[in-house]
Amino acid sequence: YIAAAGALACEKRLQIISNNLANANTVGFKMDRGHMKLINPADLPSQSAQNPADLSNSRAYLFWNNFSVYTDHSNGALKKTGNDFDLALVGKGFFCVQKPNGVHYTRKGDFTLNSEGVLVTRNGWPVLGEGGEITIKSTENPHKYAKFAVDEQGKVTVGGKQVDSLRIVDFAVSNRLSKAGDTLFKPPAVGPTEAKVEDVKVSQGFIELSNVDSVKMMTEMVEVLRGYESYQKIIQSVDETYSQAINQVGSL
């Protein structure tokens, strides 16, 4: 059971590493990590405590490793693009995005404008300010877009006039957020609520790259594959031992 649990944990780690490597160039992507709780020998049943009556109750779960996955929210490197609609956060926090099923959160700041002049994600979801959707249009000429600027505090100005402030929030326990695809996160049904971030810095004309270290991920992949092979050899060795014992006892 221990060897099988270890092999399955290696399979799960390999899936996580593969997904991280596939998103190494995805803007704002946050890599996942695996965590395996080791078996506590004190929790295992002693041989003297077992009797034939206990065989009807499986104790396999005592030998099974508890494997869990969590997201690493550490910051990625910044890349300068010179695009006014590209925004990056330095420090903790998330941009707020409005989807039909509620507010979602992201670090992917390669925004753009839709046909109505609303600041949106690449998938067309509105980016939220403190007052709701952020519209970028000239007050004198509705068909002309005015100069769009965002300062380090997240204040949005259009044509030199402040129109809103970016809604940037964080969570006390960010690992409670779950991934919703396209670098978006959604909050748990029951859990910590969003809180305003005070010490975050907004960099206009930059994007935050993935926090995946490709070289480190490749090294971990080799390590996992070797670990899987080791567990596989243990399982084969035990199987051969049982096979020999059965054949020898059967020939007596």
Side-chain angles (χ1 to χ4, degrees):
Y1 282 117
I2 295 176
L8 286 175
C10 286
E11 287 186 7
K12 292 179 180 178
R13 280 192 65 193
L14 187 60
Q15 293 173 356
I16 294 171
I17 293 172
S18 299
N19 183 64
N20 288 340
L21 286 173
N23 289 279
N25 295 321
T26 301
V27 177
F29 178 80
K30 298 302 176 185
M31 65 178 175
D32 292 322
R33 293 186 179 274
H35 175 74
M36 184 170 64
K37 182 180 179 181
L38 299 179
I39 296 172
N40 184 0
D43 296 334
L44 299 179
S46 61
Q47 189 173 4
S48 59
Q50 298 184 21
N51 56 64
D54 291 334
L55 297 179
S56 60
N57 298 321
S58 173
R59 295 184 177 183
Y61 69 93
L62 294 174
F63 297 88
W64 213 251
N65 292 313
N66 184 12
F67 188 86
S68 59
V69 181
Y70 67 95
T71 302
D72 182 352
H73 287 281
S74 61
N75 288 5
L78 299 188
K79 178 181 178 181
K80 185 175 182 178
T81 64
N83 186 345
D84 288 343
F85 300 114
D86 285 342
L87 305 175
L89 297 178
V90 180
K92 296 182 178 180
F94 299 88
F95 297 110
C96 295
V97 175
Q98 183 65 58
K99 291 189 67 176
N101 58 341
V103 178
H104 286 59
Y105 309 93
T106 187
R107 298 275 297 194
K108 186 178 182 180
D110 56 342
F111 303 132
T112 185
L113 295 180
N114 64 11
S115 57
E116 283 109 28
V118 176
L119 188 67
V120 295
T121 66
R122 292 291 174 175
N123 286 340
W125 308 121
V127 180
L128 296 179
E130 297 294 346
E133 297 181 2
I134 301 174
T135 302
I136 305 168
K137 283 187 178 180
S138 172
T139 54
E140 293 80 10
N141 186 354
H143 301 288
K144 181 180 179 181
Y145 298 118
K147 175 65 176 177
F148 168 74
V150 180
D151 65 10
E152 293 184 352
Q153 287 72 43
K155 296 179 181 178
V156 180
T157 58
V158 177
K161 298 180 181 178
Q162 182 178 347
V163 296
D164 206 339
S165 293
L166 288 171
R167 181 176 167 186
I168 303 172
V169 302
D170 195 16
F171 295 82
V173 186
S174 56
N175 281 331
R176 294 290 302 278
L177 299 174
S178 58
K179 290 188 173 181
D182 193 38
T183 71
L184 293 176
F185 293 88
K186 60 181 180 180
V190 179
T193 57
E194 62 181 44
K196 189 174 180 180
V197 185
E198 299 294 341
D199 56 349
V200 67
K201 175 183 174 182
V202 180
S203 293
Q204 186 176 20
F206 290 81
I207 54 174
E208 181 183 0
L209 302 178
S210 167
N211 65 350
V212 176
D213 186 335
S214 299
V215 176
K216 187 176 181 180
M217 285 293 104
M218 291 298 295
T219 303
E220 287 189 16
M221 178 177 287
V222 174
E223 175 190 345
V224 171
L225 289 174
R226 289 177 177 173
Y228 183 84
E229 290 176 354
S230 299
Y231 285 122
Q232 193 176 37
K233 289 179 180 178
I234 293 174
I235 295 173
Q236 291 174 347
S237 177
V238 173
D239 184 62
E240 291 174 359
T241 301
Y242 285 157
S243 178
Q244 292 176 3
I246 293 172
N247 291 334
Q248 291 176 0
V249 171
S251 62
L252 294 177

PDB file of all heavy atoms in Angstrom, residues 54-70:
ATOM      1  N   ASP A  54     -10.368  -8.886  12.687  1.00  0.00           N
ATOM      2  CA  ASP A  54     -10.049  -7.577  12.125  1.00  0.00           C
ATOM      3  C   ASP A  54      -9.930  -7.605  10.605  1.00  0.00           C
ATOM      4  O   ASP A  54      -9.912  -6.567   9.961  1.00  0.00           O
ATOM      5  CB  ASP A  54      -8.724  -7.050  12.708  1.00  0.00           C
ATOM      6  CG  ASP A  54      -8.858  -6.705  14.177  1.00  0.00           C
ATOM      7  OD1 ASP A  54      -9.992  -6.396  14.585  1.00  0.00           O
ATOM      8  OD2 ASP A  54      -7.840  -6.757  14.891  1.00  0.00           O
ATOM      9  N   LEU A  55      -9.808  -8.781  10.002  1.00  0.00           N
ATOM     10  CA  LEU A  55      -9.606  -8.874   8.561  1.00  0.00           C
ATOM     11  C   LEU A  55     -10.807  -8.371   7.781  1.00  0.00           C
ATOM     12  O   LEU A  55     -10.686  -8.027   6.611  1.00  0.00           O
ATOM     13  CB  LEU A  55      -9.291 -10.332   8.175  1.00  0.00           C
ATOM     14  CG  LEU A  55      -8.009 -10.907   8.771  1.00  0.00           C
ATOM     15  CD1 LEU A  55      -7.830 -12.359   8.336  1.00  0.00           C
ATOM     16  CD2 LEU A  55      -6.793 -10.097   8.323  1.00  0.00           C
ATOM     17  N   SER A  56     -11.985  -8.347   8.420  1.00  0.00           N
ATOM     18  CA  SER A  56     -13.181  -7.870   7.721  1.00  0.00           C
ATOM     19  C   SER A  56     -13.203  -6.349   7.612  1.00  0.00           C
ATOM     20  O   SER A  56     -13.973  -5.790   6.833  1.00  0.00           O
ATOM     21  CB  SER A  56     -14.452  -8.346   8.452  1.00  0.00           C
ATOM     22  OG  SER A  56     -14.451  -7.840   9.779  1.00  0.00           O
ATOM     23  N   ASN A  57     -12.363  -5.669   8.410  1.00  0.00           N
ATOM     24  CA  ASN A  57     -12.297  -4.210   8.380  1.00  0.00           C
ATOM     25  C   ASN A  57     -10.980  -3.775   7.748  1.00  0.00           C
ATOM     26  O   ASN A  57      -9.907  -4.017   8.302  1.00  0.00           O
ATOM     27  CB  ASN A  57     -12.399  -3.626   9.800  1.00  0.00           C
ATOM     28  CG  ASN A  57     -13.720  -3.974  10.452  1.00  0.00           C
ATOM     29  OD1 ASN A  57     -14.761  -3.975   9.809  1.00  0.00           O
ATOM     30  ND2 ASN A  57     -13.666  -4.289  11.746  1.00  0.00           N
ATOM     31  N   SER A  58     -11.072  -3.169   6.586  1.00  0.00           N
ATOM     32  CA  SER A  58      -9.867  -2.760   5.866  1.00  0.00           C
ATOM     33  C   SER A  58      -9.160  -1.623   6.605  1.00  0.00           C
ATOM     34  O   SER A  58      -9.791  -0.678   7.066  1.00  0.00           O
ATOM     35  CB  SER A  58     -10.227  -2.307   4.451  1.00  0.00           C
ATOM     36  OG  SER A  58      -9.088  -1.773   3.814  1.00  0.00           O
ATOM     37  N   ARG A  59      -7.851  -1.743   6.692  1.00  0.00           N
ATOM     38  CA  ARG A  59      -7.030  -0.694   7.291  1.00  0.00           C
ATOM     39  C   ARG A  59      -6.083  -0.087   6.253  1.00  0.00           C
ATOM     40  O   ARG A  59      -5.079   0.523   6.603  1.00  0.00           O
ATOM     41  CB  ARG A  59      -6.225  -1.260   8.464  1.00  0.00           C
ATOM     42  CG  ARG A  59      -7.102  -1.720   9.620  1.00  0.00           C
ATOM     43  CD  ARG A  59      -6.268  -2.173  10.795  1.00  0.00           C
ATOM     44  NE  ARG A  59      -7.106  -2.539  11.904  1.00  0.00           N
ATOM     45  CZ  ARG A  59      -6.627  -2.928  13.098  1.00  0.00           C
ATOM     46  NH1 ARG A  59      -5.331  -2.988  13.281  1.00  0.00           N
ATOM     47  NH2 ARG A  59      -7.448  -3.252  14.070  1.00  0.00           N
ATOM     48  N   ALA A  60      -6.432  -0.284   4.999  1.00  0.00           N
ATOM     49  CA  ALA A  60      -5.564   0.218   3.931  1.00  0.00           C
ATOM     50  C   ALA A  60      -5.398   1.730   4.004  1.00  0.00           C
ATOM     51  O   ALA A  60      -4.330   2.261   3.680  1.00  0.00           O
ATOM     52  CB  ALA A  60      -6.139  -0.173   2.572  1.00  0.00           C
ATOM     53  N   TYR A  61      -6.455   2.431   4.440  1.00  0.00           N
ATOM     54  CA  TYR A  61      -6.385   3.888   4.486  1.00  0.00           C
ATOM     55  C   TYR A  61      -5.291   4.379   5.416  1.00  0.00           C
ATOM     56  O   TYR A  61      -4.771   5.492   5.264  1.00  0.00           O
ATOM     57  CB  TYR A  61      -7.731   4.468   4.921  1.00  0.00           C
ATOM     58  CG  TYR A  61      -8.086   4.196   6.371  1.00  0.00           C
ATOM     59  CD1 TYR A  61      -7.760   5.105   7.371  1.00  0.00           C
ATOM     60  CD2 TYR A  61      -8.746   3.026   6.733  1.00  0.00           C
ATOM     61  CE1 TYR A  61      -8.065   4.855   8.699  1.00  0.00           C
ATOM     62  CE2 TYR A  61      -9.058   2.767   8.049  1.00  0.00           C
ATOM     63  CZ  TYR A  61      -8.723   3.671   9.029  1.00  0.00           C
ATOM     64  OH  TYR A  61      -9.030   3.420  10.334  1.00  0.00           O
ATOM     65  N   LEU A  62      -4.897   3.565   6.386  1.00  0.00           N
ATOM     66  CA  LEU A  62      -3.840   3.974   7.306  1.00  0.00           C
ATOM     67  C   LEU A  62      -2.485   4.047   6.610  1.00  0.00           C
ATOM     68  O   LEU A  62      -1.576   4.728   7.077  1.00  0.00           O
ATOM     69  CB  LEU A  62      -3.767   2.996   8.485  1.00  0.00           C
ATOM     70  CG  LEU A  62      -4.988   2.964   9.419  1.00  0.00           C
ATOM     71  CD1 LEU A  62      -4.842   1.856  10.438  1.00  0.00           C
ATOM     72  CD2 LEU A  62      -5.170   4.304  10.109  1.00  0.00           C
ATOM     73  N   PHE A  63      -2.348   3.309   5.497  1.00  0.00           N
ATOM     74  CA  PHE A  63      -1.081   3.280   4.767  1.00  0.00           C
ATOM     75  C   PHE A  63      -1.096   4.217   3.570  1.00  0.00           C
ATOM     76  O   PHE A  63      -0.151   4.249   2.799  1.00  0.00           O
ATOM     77  CB  PHE A  63      -0.806   1.851   4.272  1.00  0.00           C
ATOM     78  CG  PHE A  63      -0.637   0.853   5.388  1.00  0.00           C
ATOM     79  CD1 PHE A  63      -1.730   0.194   5.916  1.00  0.00           C
ATOM     80  CD2 PHE A  63       0.613   0.594   5.922  1.00  0.00           C
ATOM     81  CE1 PHE A  63      -1.574  -0.737   6.933  1.00  0.00           C
ATOM     82  CE2 PHE A  63       0.777  -0.325   6.935  1.00  0.00           C
ATOM     83  CZ  PHE A  63      -0.324  -0.991   7.462  1.00  0.00           C
ATOM     84  N   TRP A  64      -2.175   4.982   3.403  1.00  0.00           N
ATOM     85  CA  TRP A  64      -2.327   5.816   2.209  1.00  0.00           C
ATOM     86  C   TRP A  64      -1.858   7.240   2.496  1.00  0.00           C
ATOM     87  O   TRP A  64      -2.260   7.846   3.484  1.00  0.00           O
ATOM     88  CB  TRP A  64      -3.790   5.833   1.787  1.00  0.00           C
ATOM     89  CG  TRP A  64      -3.952   5.926   0.295  1.00  0.00           C
ATOM     90  CD1 TRP A  64      -4.396   6.988  -0.415  1.00  0.00           C
ATOM     91  CD2 TRP A  64      -3.666   4.908  -0.657  1.00  0.00           C
ATOM     92  NE1 TRP A  64      -4.403   6.705  -1.754  1.00  0.00           N
ATOM     93  CE2 TRP A  64      -3.953   5.440  -1.941  1.00  0.00           C
ATOM     94  CE3 TRP A  64      -3.163   3.602  -0.583  1.00  0.00           C
ATOM     95  CZ2 TRP A  64      -3.773   4.703  -3.109  1.00  0.00           C
ATOM     96  CZ3 TRP A  64      -2.996   2.878  -1.737  1.00  0.00           C
ATOM     97  CH2 TRP A  64      -3.301   3.429  -2.983  1.00  0.00           C
ATOM     98  N   ASN A  65      -1.021   7.761   1.624  1.00  0.00           N
ATOM     99  CA  ASN A  65      -0.527   9.126   1.795  1.00  0.00           C
ATOM    100  C   ASN A  65      -1.598  10.138   1.431  1.00  0.00           C
ATOM    101  O   ASN A  65      -2.338   9.950   0.458  1.00  0.00           O
ATOM    102  CB  ASN A  65       0.701   9.361   0.918  1.00  0.00           C
ATOM    103  CG  ASN A  65       1.904   8.547   1.383  1.00  0.00           C
ATOM    104  OD1 ASN A  65       2.201   8.524   2.569  1.00  0.00           O
ATOM    105  ND2 ASN A  65       2.568   7.875   0.469  1.00  0.00           N
ATOM    106  N   ASN A  66      -1.671  11.211   2.194  1.00  0.00           N
ATOM    107  CA  ASN A  66      -2.641  12.273   1.941  1.00  0.00           C
ATOM    108  C   ASN A  66      -2.003  13.305   1.014  1.00  0.00           C
ATOM    109  O   ASN A  66      -1.163  14.085   1.436  1.00  0.00           O
ATOM    110  CB  ASN A  66      -3.064  12.919   3.264  1.00  0.00           C
ATOM    111  CG  ASN A  66      -4.151  13.967   3.070  1.00  0.00           C
ATOM    112  OD1 ASN A  66      -4.756  14.066   2.002  1.00  0.00           O
ATOM    113  ND2 ASN A  66      -4.396  14.752   4.103  1.00  0.00           N
ATOM    114  N   PHE A  67      -2.407  13.296  -0.270  1.00  0.00           N
ATOM    115  CA  PHE A  67      -1.818  14.178  -1.272  1.00  0.00           C
ATOM    116  C   PHE A  67      -2.768  15.334  -1.545  1.00  0.00           C
ATOM    117  O   PHE A  67      -3.963  15.133  -1.756  1.00  0.00           O
ATOM    118  CB  PHE A  67      -1.550  13.413  -2.573  1.00  0.00           C
ATOM    119  CG  PHE A  67      -0.766  14.198  -3.585  1.00  0.00           C
ATOM    120  CD1 PHE A  67       0.616  14.209  -3.554  1.00  0.00           C
ATOM    121  CD2 PHE A  67      -1.407  14.933  -4.565  1.00  0.00           C
ATOM    122  CE1 PHE A  67       1.352  14.924  -4.491  1.00  0.00           C
ATOM    123  CE2 PHE A  67      -0.691  15.656  -5.507  1.00  0.00           C
ATOM    124  CZ  PHE A  67       0.693  15.650  -5.466  1.00  0.00           C
ATOM    125  N   SER A  68      -2.241  16.560  -1.543  1.00  0.00           N
ATOM    126  CA  SER A  68      -3.064  17.743  -1.795  1.00  0.00           C
ATOM    127  C   SER A  68      -2.329  18.669  -2.759  1.00  0.00           C
ATOM    128  O   SER A  68      -1.114  18.594  -2.915  1.00  0.00           O
ATOM    129  CB  SER A  68      -3.387  18.476  -0.493  1.00  0.00           C
ATOM    130  OG  SER A  68      -2.198  18.881   0.168  1.00  0.00           O
ATOM    131  N   VAL A  69      -3.101  19.551  -3.399  1.00  0.00           N
ATOM    132  CA  VAL A  69      -2.559  20.493  -4.378  1.00  0.00           C
ATOM    133  C   VAL A  69      -2.882  21.911  -3.924  1.00  0.00           C
ATOM    134  O   VAL A  69      -4.000  22.182  -3.477  1.00  0.00           O
ATOM    135  CB  VAL A  69      -3.151  20.248  -5.782  1.00  0.00           C
ATOM    136  CG1 VAL A  69      -2.556  21.227  -6.790  1.00  0.00           C
ATOM    137  CG2 VAL A  69      -2.900  18.817  -6.230  1.00  0.00           C
ATOM    138  N   TYR A  70      -1.909  22.805  -4.021  1.00  0.00           N
ATOM    139  CA  TYR A  70      -2.156  24.203  -3.685  1.00  0.00           C
ATOM    140  C   TYR A  70      -1.474  25.089  -4.721  1.00  0.00           C
ATOM    141  O   TYR A  70      -0.568  24.657  -5.442  1.00  0.00           O
ATOM    142  CB  TYR A  70      -1.654  24.532  -2.280  1.00  0.00           C
ATOM    143  CG  TYR A  70      -0.146  24.484  -2.111  1.00  0.00           C
ATOM    144  CD1 TYR A  70       0.628  25.641  -2.227  1.00  0.00           C
ATOM    145  CD2 TYR A  70       0.505  23.282  -1.848  1.00  0.00           C
ATOM    146  CE1 TYR A  70       2.003  25.599  -2.072  1.00  0.00           C
ATOM    147  CE2 TYR A  70       1.886  23.231  -1.698  1.00  0.00           C
ATOM    148  CZ  TYR A  70       2.626  24.390  -1.808  1.00  0.00           C
ATOM    149  OH  TYR A  70       3.985  24.349  -1.675  1.00  0.00           O
TER     150      TYR A  70
END
